[in-house]
Amino acid sequence: MSTLSTFRNATRWSVAAAAGLLVAAALPTATAHASAPPGGAARVPDRYLQQRLDWRPCDSGALECAAMAVPRDWRHLGAGPDLTVAVSRHRATGPGPRKGVLMMAAGGPGASGLTRPTGLAEDAPKVAAAYDIVGFDQRGVGASTRVVCSDQATVDSFFTSGDLRDRTSPAIRETFARARAFVRDCERDSGDLLPYLTTDQAVHDMDLYRALLGVDKISYYGPSYASFLGAYYATEFPGRVRRMVLDSIVDFSGSWQSFLTGQPLSFQRRFEQDFLPWLAQNDAVYHQGRTPAEAKASYERLRQGLHDHPLELEGTTVTANSLDVAATDAMYNTGRFGGFAAALGVLEHPDTAAPAARKALAQRLQHAMGADFFADFFAVTCADTPWNRDSGHWVRESAEATRAHPLAGARELTFASICASWPRSKAPHVEVTGKGLPPVLMLNSAHDPATHYEGALRAHRALPTSRLVTVTGGGDHGQYRDGNACVDGLVEGYLLDDRIPAGDTSCPATPLPVPARQR
């Protein structure tokens, strides 16, 4: 995730196609078993358990897609019209023994998970041979019933109006005003849906999906926010879990507030301890300075120039905020370092840059965050767990975050002010305890920018049966299928052969990239 900006360009199945597949017909071929929601709620009505998933080819790839009707409110059945959750399946390909169903989800919150099984099946053919790999678009997202808030131009204005590092009173007032306007848009366009776009509601959708697949237990793989989703599912339905891999872990032991206010430190750490030294080592290619300090000074000079004079690049206005957004996005994976380093050169000398490079960069910088992603991200993070609503607290807190960790700290007030204005939620507090679970495999890099290692350690302690694999010497976000043979071997040994480390262990990170002109 990040939980804040990554995965925003995920391929999505059309909403119209999903809506056309929803049927409630005969019982599925296998008996559906769904647990009663905790807290005394009624058992799942037959009209949900007796629907058949009408599998049809998805728009592309080797997936089948269907749509599933779910209650609007699992804790008060019949509270309003049903919602639609789009689901997908990649059937096991191998002739050998089957391991059952491997469910996976997407990060964010706000990213589409519908087509994710395709990528996993392509990257991990042994897993694809043994498992039916299934995915879904979480309620609020993509081809499922979607949340609608502000339009794209309004979301863009959060990043193009002024400088997020500006701590003057007018800038702070404008930040709060923009946040309140965004929340009003959400209430106007999705007010009857907002209370039900929570992780707690989503895990009950997952369990209905499990039941309609006709299996008693699932295995699960969840990266980034999907680790949070998996931990909640395992807490509410521990008897339904066969194997679980949580990758790049959102700290589910605390609140969204505590997790997200920890991100500025980890983005800055990744930038200063991994990216800037790499950039300095490759000064012969990128010309940003021979030391990390010189490279950082080059970045700040460029940023100040964009603050004073925003750049019009092929129809896209590039601001100081645009640069910070591009920098945080590049921190997710070392494979993005080279592209961002080259972008710095284009922004420094746009008039001499190749037209193709100018156009490609303008397209990348056009939208800091998609409007659909933005809407669902806040719908979930603002409602799942409580937020401090004291504006004075956030002015002080964000001032320190901006001073100490400016790369991502400068946006803290923007995001927190939205949740501080969000309608109060009645979502129940879910305490993740790990009771009744089999061994759980957890993965995190020491310098992950989005899911900071300190939070991963706390989440690890909250799951007594877990084993933590730490990727040392690097900081990518998302460890499995990241080109690390050590990590992939541990994950697939667990999923395919039930081999799990006896205790916590580590894998070295993959080497940093070598720029093409130095190979």
Side-chain angles (χ1 to χ4, degrees):
M1 130 204 160
S2 116
T3 56
L4 295 180
S5 63
T6 196
F7 309 118
R8 58 183 178 267
N9 295 319
T11 302
R12 293 185 176 178
W13 186 48
S14 70
V15 176
L21 294 181
L22 180 60
V23 294
L27 279 168
T29 54
T31 302
H33 303 283
S35 302
R43 298 195 69 82
V44 181
D46 285 347
R47 68 190 184 91
Y48 298 110
L49 289 174
Q50 291 180 356
Q51 62 184 306
R52 183 186 297 274
L53 295 177
D54 183 17
W55 294 108
R56 299 181 186 180
C58 298
D59 284 355
S60 60
L63 290 180
E64 299 172 296
C65 287
M68 178 175 76
V70 301
R72 179 171 293 259
D73 184 355
W74 278 102
R75 294 179 180 273
H76 300 90
L77 299 173
D82 289 342
L83 307 182
T84 297
V85 171
V87 297
S88 63
R89 175 175 65 181
H90 185 284
R91 289 181 178 270
T93 59
R98 301 298 172 89
K99 307 293 287 188
V101 168
L102 176 63
M103 186 177 289
M104 60 186 304
S112 170
L114 198 66
T115 62
R116 296 295 173 93
T118 298
L120 196 154
E122 291 173 350
D123 293 343
K126 292 181 180 179
V127 174
Y131 284 95
D132 284 347
I133 305 172
V134 303
F136 59 96
D137 274 350
Q138 186 171 327
R139 55 171 60 201
V141 174
S144 296
T145 301
R146 292 169 57 196
V147 60
V148 177
C149 290
S150 299
D151 60 19
Q152 187 62 56
T154 301
V155 172
D156 290 344
S157 72
F158 279 84
F159 303 94
T160 57
S161 300
D163 187 335
L164 296 182
R165 295 189 192 180
D166 187 350
R167 306 303 304 170
T168 62
S169 295
I172 290 171
R173 285 195 298 271
E174 181 62 26
T175 297
F176 279 105
R178 189 175 293 112
R180 289 191 294 269
F182 175 77
V183 174
R184 286 196 298 270
D185 286 350
C186 294
E187 291 182 300
R188 180 194 65 216
D189 294 334
S190 300
D192 61 340
L193 181 61
L194 295 180
Y196 312 112
L197 300 180
T198 64
T199 301
D200 174 69
Q201 296 284 348
V203 300
H204 291 86
D205 297 343
M206 291 166 59
D207 199 57
L208 176 61
Y209 186 20
R210 173 205 57 76
L212 296 180
L213 290 168
V215 296
D216 289 328
K217 294 187 177 187
I218 60 166
S219 295
Y220 180 83
Y221 169 71
S224 197
Y225 163 65
S227 67
F228 192 100
L229 197 64
Y232 267 46
Y233 181 84
T235 297
E236 301 203 28
F237 304 101
R240 302 301 189 189
V241 176
R242 191 178 303 280
R243 304 169 191 89
M244 179 165 281
V245 180
L246 305 180
D247 185 351
S248 299
I249 305 141
V250 172
D251 180 15
F252 43 74
S253 70
S255 66
W256 278 110
Q257 177 177 316
S258 63
F259 172 74
L260 291 174
T261 54
Q263 279 191 327
L265 179 151
S266 52
F267 273 106
Q268 197 73 30
R269 176 170 59 200
R270 171 72 155 156
F271 182 67
E272 295 190 355
Q273 297 184 23
D274 292 347
F275 176 70
L276 291 178
W278 175 86
L279 188 61
Q281 290 167 6
N282 294 288
D283 180 60
V285 176
Y286 300 114
H287 313 295
Q288 296 296 316
R290 297 180 180 179
T291 68
E294 289 178 355
K296 185 176 182 180
S298 293
Y299 179 89
E300 291 297 331
R301 282 195 299 272
L302 175 59
R303 190 187 189 284
Q304 185 62 46
L306 293 170
H307 168 90
D308 296 338
H309 303 288
L311 174 66
E312 290 298 322
L313 186 70
E314 305 292 331
T316 296
T317 301
V318 182
T319 67
N321 299 327
S322 304
L323 184 65
D324 285 347
V325 169
T328 55
D329 188 65
M331 295 307 101
Y332 281 96
N333 189 285
T334 53
R336 303 180 188 182
F337 281 12
F340 179 62
L344 295 174
V346 173
L347 294 175
E348 283 181 326
H349 307 289
D351 294 339
T352 59
R358 288 169 51 95
K359 184 176 181 179
L361 182 57
Q363 289 177 339
R364 293 211 320 263
L365 299 180
Q366 186 174 21
H367 305 302
M369 194 176 294
D372 290 345
F373 183 98
F374 203 72
D376 190 74
F377 177 84
F378 287 107
V380 175
T381 58
C382 296
D384 263 355
T385 56
W387 280 80
N388 189 317
R389 293 172 176 269
D390 178 7
S391 59
H393 166 84
W394 287 115
V395 170
R396 295 186 297 271
E397 164 73 22
S398 62
E400 175 57 22
T402 301
R403 184 198 65 77
H405 312 299
L407 190 65
R411 67 188 183 189
E412 184 175 280
L413 185 63
T414 295
F415 292 120
S417 61
I418 293 174
C419 285
S421 301
W422 201 258
R424 292 189 182 274
S425 173
K426 296 181 180 179
H429 173 70
V430 176
E431 182 181 359
V432 176
T433 64
K435 291 180 180 178
L437 288 181
V440 173
L441 190 63
M442 303 177 78
L443 319 169
N444 217 89
S445 64
H447 280 187
D448 191 308
T451 56
H452 37 87
Y453 189 63
E454 296 84 349
L457 291 175
R458 289 190 292 270
H460 173 41
R461 289 193 291 269
L463 288 182
T465 65
S466 64
R467 313 287 194 273
L468 177 62
V469 179
T470 300
V471 176
T472 61
D476 279 4
H477 181 66
Q479 306 311 308
Y480 180 46
R481 301 158 53 220
D482 190 40
N484 190 316
C486 175
V487 172
D488 290 355
L490 289 171
V491 172
E492 294 183 13
Y494 171 57
L495 290 177
L496 297 174
D497 301 316
D498 291 310
R499 297 196 313 267
I500 193 162
D504 295 346
T505 188
S506 63
C507 287
T510 55
L512 291 171
V514 177
R517 285 164 55 187
Q518 285 193 347
R519 290 175 183 167

